[in-house]
Amino acid sequence: MNRPFTGRPFTGKHAAMVICGGFALVIAVNITLAVSAGRSHPGLVVDNSYVASQNFNSWLAEGRRQKALGWTVSARSDSTALTLSAINSLGDPLSGLKVVATLEHPLGAETSRDVLLVETAPGHYAAPHGLAPGQWLAEFRLSRGGEHYYLADRLVIPG
C-alpha cells in the first residue's frame, strides 16, 4: 500500500513506530498526572464517606451560624511562634476566646497534636513555640460561650 503524497509504501517499521509513539504518549501523560497528584492534595478528605454524608446538613447549618457571627480569623506561623488574630464584624478584637489548634503534617511525617493558644493582646492569640519546617494542616477551633468558629488552614514553614 502506498502512503498518500509520497509514493513510498507503509511498512511494518512505520506501523511499529506509530504504535510505540502512541504508547509513549500514554505513558508520558500518566507520569505527568501521577507527579501532579503526588505534589498536590494528599487525597483523604473524610475517613468514612457514608458518615460524612449523614452529617452534611448539620455541617452546612454550622457553617451558616459561623458566617452569621461575622468574625474574621487569620493564622500565621514561623519557626518561633504560631499566632492567630480574630476580629468581629465591626473590626473590634475578639477577646476571651478559647483557641485550640490541631496540627498535623499532611503526609503523616509527624504525629498530630493539639496546641492551646493563649491571648497575648486583645484579639491576638499565640502558642509559645513554632513549627518544624514543612507543610502543616492546622485546624483552629475558637469558642466563647455558645459561639463557635472553625478555621482550617495550610501553614508552610520555610526550611
Side-chain angles (χ1 to χ4, degrees):
M1 174 175 160
N2 288 339
R3 292 188 346 199
F5 309 113
T6 65
R8 289 183 273 163
F10 186 78
T11 64
K13 184 178 177 182
H14 296 116
M17 288 190 321
V18 168
I19 291 171
C20 288
F23 277 112
L25 178 66
V26 169
I27 291 169
V29 169
N30 283 337
I31 289 172
T32 301
L33 291 175
V35 168
S36 175
R39 291 182 180 167
S40 64
H41 195 274
L44 180 64
V45 177
V46 294
D47 291 327
N48 185 323
S49 59
Y50 176 75
V51 172
S53 72
Q54 301 304 306
N55 295 324
F56 185 74
N57 288 334
S58 64
W59 291 343
L60 281 178
E62 189 175 316
R64 288 186 191 107
R65 283 191 297 275
Q66 177 172 311
K67 188 174 182 178
L69 289 173
W71 294 1
T72 301
V73 177
S74 61
R76 289 182 317 182
S77 183
D78 56 28
S79 60
T80 60
L82 172 62
T83 60
L84 180 132
S85 62
I87 58 173
N88 65 15
S89 60
L90 302 174
D92 299 327
L94 289 166
S95 294
L97 295 174
K98 177 183 177 188
V99 180
V100 177
T102 300
L103 304 168
E104 181 178 306
H105 198 272
L107 299 177
E110 297 195 28
T111 59
S112 72
R113 59 182 178 256
D114 288 340
V115 176
L116 181 65
L117 282 74
V118 295
E119 190 167 9
T120 57
H124 294 280
Y125 300 83
H129 50 78
L131 298 174
Q135 292 191 30
W136 291 87
L137 300 176
E139 295 181 353
F140 297 93
R141 291 175 304 287
L142 293 74
S143 60
R144 181 176 65 184
E147 300 170 319
H148 300 282
Y149 193 93
Y150 173 81
L151 173 69
D153 201 359
R154 184 178 291 250
L155 303 172
V156 178
I157 313 304

